[in-house]
């Protein structure tokens, strides 16, 4: 796989994680329904699989739109064309974004 493929895989990982949480939580909650002690807890946590499914779907759609826009050179992109990650504090306290393809760090406001 090329580094562009790995960049896409890394971008989709949170969505995949949310879908796994939705699947596992639905299995666990259905088993808890059979227990007389855990049934009230399971009924009060019944929203968790739906929330995780919605979060995974929204994040997957957002990543798809970002990758689609990156094909045309639009969006928060590195010079190499890779997607820039979320803004975070760098080593010297300034705000930076990291390219998901090449790993280069960009100071806030210095990217396209
Ligand atoms: Zn880059």
């Amino acid at each position: 796989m090329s580094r562009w493929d790995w960049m896409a895989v890394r971008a989709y990982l949170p969505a995949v994680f949310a879908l796994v949480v939705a699947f596992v939580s639905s299995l666990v909650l259905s088993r808890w329904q059979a227990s007389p002690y855990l049934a009230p807890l399971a009924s009060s946590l019944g929203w968790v699989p739906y929330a995780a499914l919605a979060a995974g779907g929204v994040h997957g759609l957002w990543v798809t739109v970002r990758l689609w826009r990156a094909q045309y050179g639009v969006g928060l992109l590195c010079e190499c064309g890779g997607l820039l990650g979320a803004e975070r504090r760098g080593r010297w306290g300034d705000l930076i974004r990291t390219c998901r393809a090449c790993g280069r760090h960009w100071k806030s406001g210095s990217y396209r």
Side-chain angles (χ1 to χ4, degrees), residues 1 6 9 27 45 60 64 66 71 77 86 92 105 112:
M1 286 180 38
W6 283 114
V9 167
L27 288 178
L45 292 177
T64 302
R66 280 197 72 194
Q71 281 186 332
L77 300 174
W92 311 114
H105 300 296
R112 285 189 273 167

Side-chain angles (χ1 to χ4, degrees), residues 85-98:
E87 209 169 49
R88 61 182 176 86
R89 291 275 168 208
R91 182 183 302 170
W92 311 114
D94 45 353
L95 293 173
I96 62 166
R97 291 180 186 265
T98 304

Side-chain angles (χ1 to χ4, degrees), residues 13-69:
L13 274 181
V16 171
F17 178 74
L19 294 179
V20 168
V21 167
F23 179 70
V24 171
S25 64
S26 68
L27 288 178
V28 168
L29 289 176
S30 66
R31 287 185 183 228
W32 285 4
Q33 287 287 349
S35 168
Y37 303 108
L38 296 174
L41 183 63
S43 63
S44 66
L45 292 177
W47 56 272
V48 170
Y50 299 109
L53 184 67
V58 167
H59 190 273
L61 187 65
W62 177 66
V63 168
T64 302
V65 168
R66 280 197 72 194
L67 289 172
W68 178 68
R69 287 170 44 105

Side-chain angles (χ1 to χ4, degrees), residues 3 78-82 84 99-104 106:
R3 68 180 180 144
C78 177
E79 281 181 351
C80 73
L84 292 180
C99 175
R100 293 185 183 199
C102 70
R104 183 174 172 188
W106 291 86

